[in-house]
Amino acid sequence: MKTPPFLLGATLIFWGWQTGLLAFALPMALILESSRFIQWRWNFSSQDIRNIANFCLILVILIGIILIINTHSIQFIYTLLQWLPIILFPLVLAQIYSINETIDIRTLFLLLNFFSSPHQKPEEFYLNLTYFYFILCILSTSAVNIQDISFYIGMFLLVAIALFSSRSKRFSPLIWIGLILCAGSLGLVGQMGLHRLHLSFEQAIIEQLSSLSFQDADPFQKSTAMGDIGVLKLSNKIFFRVATDDPETTPILLRESTYNKYKSSSWFATDSQFKSIQPAQNLTTWQLAQQQKNYYKMIFTGGLNRKKGLLKLPNGTFKLNQLPVLKVEKNQYGTVKVQGNPDLMSYQILFNPTINTDSPPTEDDLQIPPSEKPAISQIVQQLNLKGKPPQEILKQVKGFFEDNFSYSLQLLGKDRGQTPLSSFLLKNRSGHCEYFATATALLLREVGIPTRYAIGFSVSEFSALENQFIVRGRDGHAWTLVYIDGVWQNFDTTPGGWSAIEDAAAPQWEIITDIGSFVGFQLTLFLKYISTLNLLKYSWLLMIPLVLIVIQFSSKKRVHRLTAKRILSKSVFSAQQPGTDSEFYLIERALNELGFFRHSSESLKYWIQRLKQELPKNPLIEDLSAIVELHYRYRFDPQGINNTEREELKVMIKSWLNRYQKKE
């Protein structure tokens, strides 16, 4: 079935307008719609169609490769989809200007030939591609994702025109138009509702995952899971990778955000002020603190979520190299946030853990909430910590937690009359890292040691496959920063076996997902490297294989010459076909006025036969059989009827209509 006149041209113009490819769309539409006026057709063989299809396939592959090289992102699929109407245009053009006006589908899908018997002639299946091309143009237009109503209105009008041409003639056009307008209005309302639901659902999922995986922490506030009920579940997915010259010197903890005030199971960064860091001349080097002579280096490879995020850095980070972001900011607590490209980034970190890059302590770094004071004082008195040197206090506190507490992902909830932290210290003595870090921070504050609460990731899993450290969501961690000897230092009192407990809970098939992650990671690095080589100016070299393939196809057989043939014009102004002026259609109209309609799938003969069964004693219906037979000969017989038979048909129809009017 062919598309209605000018529908395909209008669809191409709509596609060109939405995608910005109107310069291609206008001539393409003109060439396609000119087929209704040009009376010449060409005799394309099955081999010709197959060669054109292979040519289109090669174009898809080559353009896909070029897009991958230049975008190194999954977004290349959307760009390729927008160009498909141009790429497949030769195939549709060959069909429209072919004598047959249909294509054997087996010439497009060569695999279908493999399942047929070699001694049996394969069954042919001819198809008109115009409606498929119409749908492809609509899908290609949707890939642009224009955020206004123009796409929906254009799509609705084009689809309505396509449906109108194949509607049932039993119903009034006004009724059909009213129904399609109602359907379009409901579709618009539904589309807007689904769009809003999608955005809300997406935001909820992002927030849920962020809270469980420590990704995209809030630099101003951190709500802990202390006091919750259930099981703390963290992701096994690999979040980022860390490489160093010497794995033994790799820092165990990478800090993401720091807080200094605790209240009601939440930590806050009071008066947090982010200041912009200006890049060096190369725009990828960022100096966070004074340059140091002695330092360590590490390579961090990861991405940004939603084009922004917090960097995971070791203590004493003073410089970042090869960091391709647009903006870097740092607050007084050492938290660094960036904005830039969400793609994979691999940058160098220079750090010296013996220097201090955070602000000096304030009164907030010694604050203890009144609700936690009794339990904290009881433990300090029990351990007799006051008056001792700081290093001895740290050693004693760490031993206290290691000897008397256990690590657990079970969330035990709250006890009546006690805070979750008090229950942890005095009763349960079991919990996850947030309990240990918070309890440690408040205990040390009680004896006059300034502390802060830090969250980030623990780096401990070395991958022999990748020859670097991999960090998963379950490696998210919390610990304490202590201010001793004029430097903020990491102090982690969570029992040492906590990572082994979480590793034991990992699924058995984790090695399979790790291999898949490694392959995807290497492919992304390769595409990123290729993109830096500026290969676009050499992309024309990819046409060399295309030319060689075309030459190979051409050399397999002798030269095939296309033959042209002139046909009757099939334009909208074409001459009337024989039999369309038959007076029998007056009888059909009269029967319709009586309420006897012919179904769109019924022939005239079956319709008359059905009416005879419904009205067995109606003489008007009985007399229609002879009239239909003569009408069929006039309408469909290649030999037609002679003048005498033509006059006889007119007389029979006139007589039937006179009797019909008398019956009224």
Side-chain angles (χ1 to χ4, degrees):
M1 184 172 61
K2 294 181 64 176
T3 54
F6 308 115
L7 175 63
L8 214 52
T11 306
L12 279 172
I13 293 174
F14 175 66
W15 159 78
W17 169 48
Q18 293 279 295
T19 59
L21 300 173
L22 199 58
F24 295 93
L26 289 175
M28 289 166 60
L30 180 62
I31 294 172
L32 287 186
E33 295 302 336
S34 295
S35 65
R36 304 183 183 277
F37 306 97
I38 297 175
Q39 299 180 10
W40 291 91
R41 295 294 183 268
W42 283 262
N43 182 21
F44 291 102
S45 66
S46 297
Q47 185 60 43
D48 294 328
I49 298 298
R50 182 176 292 112
N51 290 340
I52 294 174
N54 291 336
F55 174 77
C56 295
L57 178 60
I58 294 172
L59 280 181
V60 170
I61 296 174
L62 291 180
I63 293 177
I65 293 174
I66 293 174
L67 291 175
I68 291 176
I69 290 175
N70 287 278
T71 61
H72 58 277
S73 168
I74 197 66
Q75 298 294 325
F76 85 92
I77 295 178
Y78 297 100
T79 306
L80 180 62
L81 183 59
Q82 294 176 38
W83 282 82
L84 281 183
I86 298 178
I87 299 173
L88 300 181
F89 181 72
L91 188 61
V92 178
L93 189 65
Q95 177 205 279
I96 289 180
Y97 281 93
S98 172
I99 292 177
N100 297 325
E101 294 190 348
T102 55
I103 289 180
D104 185 3
I105 198 69
R106 302 180 69 87
T107 62
L108 304 181
F109 301 97
L110 299 180
L111 289 178
L112 295 177
N113 296 320
F114 296 153
F115 298 99
S116 59
S117 173
H119 305 291
Q120 184 180 4
K121 184 179 179 180
E123 181 181 355
E124 296 179 340
F125 183 73
Y126 287 94
L127 195 65
N128 191 299
L129 298 181
T130 52
Y131 266 109
F132 291 96
Y133 191 68
F134 167 77
I135 296 173
L136 174 65
C137 291
I138 296 294
L139 290 176
S140 300
T141 308
S142 68
V144 185
N145 194 26
I146 295 179
Q147 302 294 323
D148 58 39
I149 200 174
S150 61
F151 168 74
Y152 184 85
I153 293 177
M155 179 200 67
F156 170 74
L157 291 176
L158 292 171
V159 172
I161 293 172
L163 293 176
F164 184 81
S165 64
S166 59
R167 77 188 191 285
S168 173
K169 302 301 188 295
R170 298 172 55 193
F171 301 101
S172 167
L174 294 178
I175 295 177
W176 188 93
I177 293 175
L179 291 175
I180 200 69
L181 287 176
C182 290
S185 301
L186 291 175
L188 177 61
V189 174
Q191 185 263 348
M192 295 173 61
L194 287 175
H195 178 65
R196 293 181 180 178
L197 179 63
H198 167 76
L199 293 179
S200 301
F201 180 76
E202 183 183 60
Q203 184 62 30
I205 291 297
I206 290 174
E207 292 176 356
Q208 183 69 14
L209 292 177
S210 298
S211 64
L212 293 180
S213 65
F214 289 84
Q215 271 199 316
D216 293 335
D218 185 345
F220 302 98
Q221 175 182 350
K222 173 60 182 174
S223 298
T224 69
M226 294 189 296
D228 294 345
I229 299 177
V231 179
L232 188 64
K233 296 182 179 180
L234 300 176
S235 171
N236 297 310
K237 180 181 178 182
I238 297 176
F239 280 3
F240 57 88
R241 293 162 169 85
V242 174
T244 58
D245 296 333
D246 183 5
E248 294 183 359
T249 62
T250 300
I252 297 177
L253 299 175
L254 297 182
R255 183 162 34 126
E256 184 176 30
S257 189
T258 307
Y259 311 90
N260 64 337
K261 188 173 183 178
Y262 178 74
K263 182 179 180 181
S264 301
S265 299
S266 295
W267 280 93
F268 302 87
T270 58
D271 299 324
S272 177
Q273 297 178 0
F274 280 91
K275 295 183 179 180
S276 294
I277 306 296
Q278 297 302 318
Q281 236 177 357
N282 59 12
L283 301 180
T284 59
T285 298
W286 308 82
Q287 194 77 38
L288 303 182
Q290 187 176 358
Q291 183 69 30
Q292 301 294 314
K293 293 182 179 180
N294 301 318
Y295 56 84
Y296 298 98
K297 295 185 296 185
M298 61 180 286
I299 302 296
F300 181 100
T301 305
L304 294 178
N305 188 16
R306 302 176 72 86
K307 299 185 179 182
K308 59 183 179 179
L310 303 179
L311 297 186
K312 291 78 176 171
L313 303 173
N315 282 358
T317 297
F318 62 88
K319 192 175 185 178
L320 304 173
N321 291 326
Q322 301 170 357
L323 177 61
V325 295
L326 303 176
K327 187 177 183 181
V328 175
E329 295 179 296
K330 180 183 177 183
N331 69 2
Q332 66 267 38
Y333 304 116
T335 303
V336 178
K337 64 179 182 179
V338 297
Q339 295 181 11
N341 198 311
D343 293 338
L344 188 68
M345 302 182 302
S346 185
Y347 55 93
Q348 185 186 62
I349 301 173
L350 306 184
F351 65 99
N352 184 341
T354 63
I355 67 171
N356 185 44
T357 59
D358 300 348
S359 63
T362 65
E363 293 181 359
D364 290 326
D365 298 316
L366 294 172
Q367 170 264 347
I368 301 175
S371 58
E372 310 293 352
K373 193 77 171 178
I376 295 296
S377 299
Q378 181 176 337
I379 297 299
V380 169
Q381 185 176 359
Q382 175 185 334
L383 298 178
N384 192 24
L385 296 177
K386 290 188 175 181
K388 295 181 179 180
Q391 293 296 341
E392 184 178 343
I393 293 176
L394 296 183
K395 182 179 179 180
Q396 192 171 349
V397 169
K398 188 172 182 64
F400 169 69
F401 284 113
E402 286 183 349
D403 297 337
N404 301 283
F405 290 74
S406 62
Y407 181 83
S408 174
L409 294 176
Q410 295 289 333
L411 304 176
L412 303 178
K414 301 178 181 179
D415 289 341
R416 291 184 177 179
Q418 283 187 324
T419 65
L421 185 63
S422 299
S423 298
F424 167 74
L425 286 171
L426 303 177
K427 181 180 178 182
N428 300 326
R429 297 204 164 184
S430 176
H432 54 276
C433 57
E434 293 176 329
Y435 281 102
F436 289 96
T438 302
T440 301
L442 299 187
L443 285 173
L444 295 180
R445 288 181 177 185
E446 178 69 10
V447 295
I449 298 177
T451 61
R452 290 173 180 171
Y453 179 86
I455 64 170
F457 290 84
S458 172
V459 181
S460 59
E461 183 180 354
F462 187 82
S463 171
L465 176 65
E466 302 192 21
N467 195 31
Q468 61 184 340
F469 288 92
I470 58 177
V471 182
R472 307 177 188 273
R474 66 169 183 257
D475 294 322
H477 195 45
W479 63 95
T480 307
L481 291 176
V482 298
Y483 191 77
I484 296 179
D485 298 330
V487 178
W488 288 103
Q489 305 175 26
N490 293 328
F491 184 51
D492 187 10
T493 58
T494 302
W498 72 271
S499 58
I501 295 176
E502 295 190 353
D503 291 343
Q508 297 180 353
W509 59 84
E510 186 175 72
I511 182 63
I512 299 177
T513 59
D514 285 355
I515 293 175
S517 176
F518 172 70
V519 172
F521 170 65
Q522 293 298 326
L523 178 60
T524 304
L525 286 181
F526 173 75
L527 294 177
K528 186 176 179 65
Y529 169 74
I530 291 295
S531 66
T532 62
L533 300 180
N534 193 21
L535 294 180
L536 182 59
K537 58 183 179 181
Y538 303 111
S539 59
W540 60 270
L541 294 174
L542 296 175
M543 297 300 292
I544 295 178
L546 173 62
V547 174
L548 294 177
I549 292 173
V550 172
I551 294 175
Q552 182 181 6
F553 274 116
S554 302
S555 62
K556 284 185 177 180
K557 291 189 176 183
R558 297 177 60 185
V559 175
H560 172 69
R561 298 184 183 276
L562 293 178
T563 58
K565 179 181 178 182
R566 188 169 184 173
I567 62 171
L568 293 175
S569 175
K570 295 188 176 183
S571 69
V572 290
F573 308 108
S574 59
Q576 196 175 43
Q577 297 183 1
T580 56
D581 60 342
S582 173
E583 291 78 5
F584 184 84
Y585 296 111
L586 298 176
I587 296 178
E588 183 177 5
R589 186 185 305 170
L591 291 174
N592 289 340
E593 292 175 355
L594 292 176
F596 304 122
F597 295 98
R598 177 163 65 99
H599 300 315
S600 58
S601 59
E602 278 185 321
S603 65
L604 286 174
K605 285 187 176 181
Y606 280 109
W607 181 41
I608 299 303
Q609 185 178 356
R610 178 170 61 83
L611 292 179
K612 286 182 178 181
Q613 295 175 355
E614 296 176 358
L615 305 169
K617 297 181 180 181
N618 193 317
L620 289 175
I621 304 301
E622 291 291 338
D623 295 341
L624 286 176
S625 298
I627 300 176
V628 168
E629 291 295 335
L630 192 55
H631 166 75
Y632 260 51
R633 288 183 55 202
Y634 178 50
R635 179 70 177 86
F636 302 109
D637 193 337
Q639 301 299 326
I641 59 178
N642 55 39
N643 293 335
T644 303
E645 290 172 326
R646 179 71 179 96
E647 290 299 325
E648 181 183 354
L649 177 61
K650 290 182 179 180
V651 171
M652 293 172 65
I653 292 174
K654 185 176 181 181
S655 174
W656 190 94
L657 291 173
N658 289 335
R659 283 184 291 160
Y660 162 74
Q661 292 174 356
K662 291 179 181 180
K663 287 285 185 181
E664 290 183 332

